[in-house]
């Protein structure tokens, strides 16, 4: 059974891109390990709200990007500032708020709510006024905007009518875009991609030089260019049968581009098999126990009349508690050879797991080899009944050219989520560094608690329903409230930040 699973896994990897082949199994393991709704989900369903506080701590790198005269002001501002985001929903009502908290005081806020009678808005810049936009108001505003687009030539009346019809019947709109494509010809071509006569299995009597496992069995299959061309041809025909593709082709022609035809689409996709100098042979090896398994491919690519042989190898090893995948992809070019390598290991425990992923890229030029990319990623997580944690670190070092100083970028993430019985709490900290110097630290603290009162009210002001005289009074009060809200925000700023703001305002006015 283990050997059969190894062959199946090897065959599945053939359907993935070179790099994707190394990533797919791990993605499933990690998503399974971290699966399940957030602890906060059940409390939100009970009517609680979610509150997230976000703070930023500047590092030396971030401060170095700011003019020296303003660095202290920025530090004081970020030390005092907390961004609060809240969200809640019950039945057919939902509400969210953004607050700027300065020294633990609400300096500015905006709240939006959605109810059966439309959208409601409140803000420290609106005073005590709550503004309402009904579905009819929103429709009127959209009609005005679209008619203006028609008048300015940005959209034709015919396209506008189609858009309106589609919005009133989304299913019909999707159907009109996709049509009724028949994938049967494409599926037949895909099934014919590998001829059963081109699949052969044999025992390994002498280990090939490029096989790095103790293989005892070999299976080869051939993907013929003609069969691949049938797939790309049928794919192009299927795409062309969709009205939206033909409409995009017409739009490109109207904007001065070359008109797209079915023949051009077929020719474009057929460049994929045409790039192969010959049929592609895939070799798969496994040990007597069926583990590990190795896949080898060496496609020959035609470019500018020259033939280049790429080399790809992937080894999958099933571990007692996970999986390990190692891969290499060699891409020789004129005067330069590029070798990509990767290794990923996923270990699953009863209440958590770990993941490590290493990727390197080496270039050989004029007999000299140097590493242009060195990436290292690690994750560790736990999943208990009332506690989940995640720690992640990522480092990437990039060398743009030989002799140059490499650039290193890194970040770490540490998060913890708790179910405390009557509410949930979560903390997350992200550190970002460049060249081993701190760029910034991001802190996010989230919890659930009692929901706020909804701003949905019968006393809300509906601007679209106001008379001309009422609109003048409303506009004047808006101006007064906005000025008051702005002054409230400015006076809440640290003194050094106030000086910086006024300085920037004076400079922009000059």
């Amino acid at each position: 059974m283990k050997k059969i699973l190894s062959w199946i896994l090897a065959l599945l990897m053939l359907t993935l891109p070179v790099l994707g082949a190394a990533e797919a199994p791990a993605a499933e393991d990690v998503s399974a390990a971290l699966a399940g709704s957030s602890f906060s989900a059940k409390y939100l369903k009970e009517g609680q709200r979610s509150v997230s506080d976000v703070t930023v701590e500047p590092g030396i790198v971030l401060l170095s990007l700011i003019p020296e005269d303003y660095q202290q002001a920025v530090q004081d501002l970020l030390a005092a500032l907390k961004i609060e985001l809240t969200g809640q929903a019950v039945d057919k009502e939902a509400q969210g708020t953004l607050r700027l908290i300065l020294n633990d005081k609400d300096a500015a806020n905006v709240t939006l709510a959605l109810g059966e009678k439309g959208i409601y808005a409140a803000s420290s810049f609106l005073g005590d006024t709550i503004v309402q936009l009904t579905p009819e108001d929103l429709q009127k505003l959209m009609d005005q905007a679209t008619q203006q687009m028609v008048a300015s030539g940005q959209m034709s009346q015919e396209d506008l009518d189609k858009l309106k019809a589609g919005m009133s019947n989304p299913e019909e709109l999707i159907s009109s875009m996709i049509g009724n494509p028949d994938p049967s010809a494409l599926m037949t071509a895909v099934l014919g991609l590998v001829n059963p006569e081109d699949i052969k299995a044999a025992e390994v009597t002498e280990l090939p030089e490029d096989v790095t496992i103790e293989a005892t069995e070999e299976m080869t299959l051939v993907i013929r260019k003609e069969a691949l061309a049938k797939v790309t041809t049928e794919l192009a025909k299927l795409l062309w049968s969709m009205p939206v593709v033909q409409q995009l082709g017409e739009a490109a022609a109207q904007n001065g581009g070359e008109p797209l035809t079915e023949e051009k689409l077929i020719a474009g996709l057929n460049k994929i098999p045409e790039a192969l100098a010959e049929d592609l042979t895939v070799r798969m090896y496994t040990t007597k126990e069926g583990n590990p398994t190795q896949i080898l491919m060496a496609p020959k690519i035609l470019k500018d009349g020259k033939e280049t042989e790429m080399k790809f190898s992937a080894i999958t090893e099933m571990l007692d508690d996970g999986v390990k995948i190692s891969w290499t992809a060699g891409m020789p070019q004129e005067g330069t050879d590029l070798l990509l390598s990767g290794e990923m290991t996923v270990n699953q425990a009863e209440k958590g797991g770990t993941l490590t992923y290493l990727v390197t890229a080496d270039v050989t030029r004029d007999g000299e080899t140097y590493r242009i990319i060195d990436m290292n990623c690690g994750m560790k997580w736990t999943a208990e009944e009332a506690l989940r944690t995640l720690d992640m670190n990522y480092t990437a070092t990039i060398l743009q050219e030989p002799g140059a100083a490499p650039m290193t970028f890194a970040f770490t993430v540490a998060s913890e989520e708790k179910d405390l019985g009557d509410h949930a709490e979560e903390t997350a900290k992200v550190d970002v560094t460049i060249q081993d110097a701190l760029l910034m630290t991001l802190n996010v603290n989230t919890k659930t608690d009692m929901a706020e009162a909804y701003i949905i009210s019968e006393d809300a002001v509906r601007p679209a329903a106001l008379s001309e005289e009422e609109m003048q009074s409303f506009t004047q009060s808006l101006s007064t409230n906005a000025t008051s809200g702005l002054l409230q925000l400015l006076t809440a700023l640290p003194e050094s930040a106030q000086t910086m703001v006024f300085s920037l305002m004076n400079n922009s006015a000059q």
Side-chain angles (χ1 to χ4, degrees), residues 440-452:
M440 68 174 194
T441 297
L442 180 69
N443 299 292
V444 181
N445 296 308
T446 303
K447 65 178 181 178
T448 64
D449 65 10
M450 297 297 293
E452 295 178 294

Side-chain angles (χ1 to χ4, degrees), residues 94-396:
Q95 181 167 295
T97 299
L98 166 65
R99 291 187 177 91
L100 298 183
I101 310 295
L102 288 165
N103 293 317
D104 298 324
K105 294 182 180 180
D106 187 348
N109 61 72
V110 176
T111 300
L112 294 177
L114 178 64
E116 292 185 273
K117 295 184 179 180
I119 297 175
Y120 299 78
S123 172
S124 56
F125 298 100
L126 294 175
D128 296 328
T129 302
I130 298 175
V131 177
Q132 177 189 10
L133 290 175
T134 66
E136 294 78 16
D137 298 336
L138 293 171
Q139 182 64 51
K140 185 177 179 181
L141 289 173
M142 190 179 76
D143 288 342
Q144 291 175 347
T146 52
Q147 288 299 334
Q148 186 175 1
M149 292 176 68
V150 171
S152 62
Q154 299 179 50
M155 177 186 291
S156 68
Q157 186 63 48
E158 182 181 0
D159 289 340
L160 177 58
D161 294 339
K162 289 181 180 179
L163 179 62
K164 289 182 177 180
M167 293 182 67
S168 61
N169 191 339
E171 292 183 2
E172 185 176 334
L173 174 62
I174 295 174
S175 178
S176 68
M177 294 173 63
I178 299 178
N180 297 298
D182 181 5
S184 58
L186 175 60
M187 294 306 298
T188 300
V190 171
L191 292 174
L193 198 57
V194 178
N195 192 318
E197 297 178 357
D198 291 329
I199 302 178
K200 298 179 181 179
E203 291 186 6
V204 176
T205 56
E206 184 177 348
L207 204 63
E209 183 179 351
D210 53 358
V211 177
T212 56
I213 65 174
E214 295 298 323
T216 59
E217 296 182 40
E218 173 191 51
M219 184 171 75
T220 62
L221 59 87
V222 178
I223 300 176
R224 302 199 177 276
K225 290 182 58 177
E226 294 80 0
L228 184 57
K230 287 182 181 179
V231 172
T232 53
T233 296
E234 293 302 333
L235 176 60
K237 290 181 178 179
L238 181 67
L239 292 173
W240 187 253
S241 69
M242 301 179 185
V244 64
V245 176
Q246 298 184 31
Q247 292 168 6
L248 289 173
E250 293 175 1
Q254 292 174 359
N255 291 326
E258 287 291 329
L260 181 65
T261 64
E262 183 178 17
E263 291 73 19
K264 288 184 178 180
L265 185 57
I266 292 174
L269 290 183
N270 279 348
K271 289 182 180 179
I272 298 174
E274 290 171 0
L276 291 174
E278 59 184 33
D279 299 333
L280 177 61
T281 299
V282 181
R283 300 150 55 209
M284 291 176 284
Y285 296 86
T286 189
T287 62
K288 182 179 180 180
E289 295 78 16
N291 183 42
T293 298
Q294 184 173 8
I295 296 177
L296 291 161
M297 290 185 290
K300 294 182 179 179
I301 308 299
L302 284 174
K303 184 178 180 181
D304 300 329
K306 296 182 180 180
E307 186 178 302
T308 301
E309 184 180 66
M310 299 176 60
K311 291 186 177 181
F312 171 72
S313 171
I315 299 175
T316 302
E317 181 179 1
M318 307 304 294
L319 307 175
D320 292 337
D321 60 350
V323 62
K324 178 181 178 181
I325 299 175
S326 305
W327 58 269
T328 60
M331 302 178 186
Q333 301 175 6
E334 187 175 353
T336 302
D337 289 339
L338 174 63
L339 177 64
L340 298 174
S341 302
E343 180 178 292
M344 180 171 61
T345 304
V346 180
N347 299 105
Q348 187 71 45
E350 182 180 354
K351 294 183 178 180
T354 61
L355 176 150
T356 58
Y357 192 19
L358 311 174
V359 175
T360 60
D362 295 317
V363 169
T364 300
R365 182 179 297 157
D366 298 329
E368 180 184 358
T369 299
Y370 55 94
R371 181 154 293 177
I372 60 172
I373 296 176
D374 196 335
M375 188 200 80
N376 186 325
C377 179
M379 292 176 60
K380 180 180 179 181
W381 63 89
T382 61
E384 301 182 30
E385 185 177 353
L387 174 66
R388 292 174 184 163
T389 65
L390 172 66
D391 292 287
M392 176 180 177
N393 60 79
Y394 172 92
T395 303

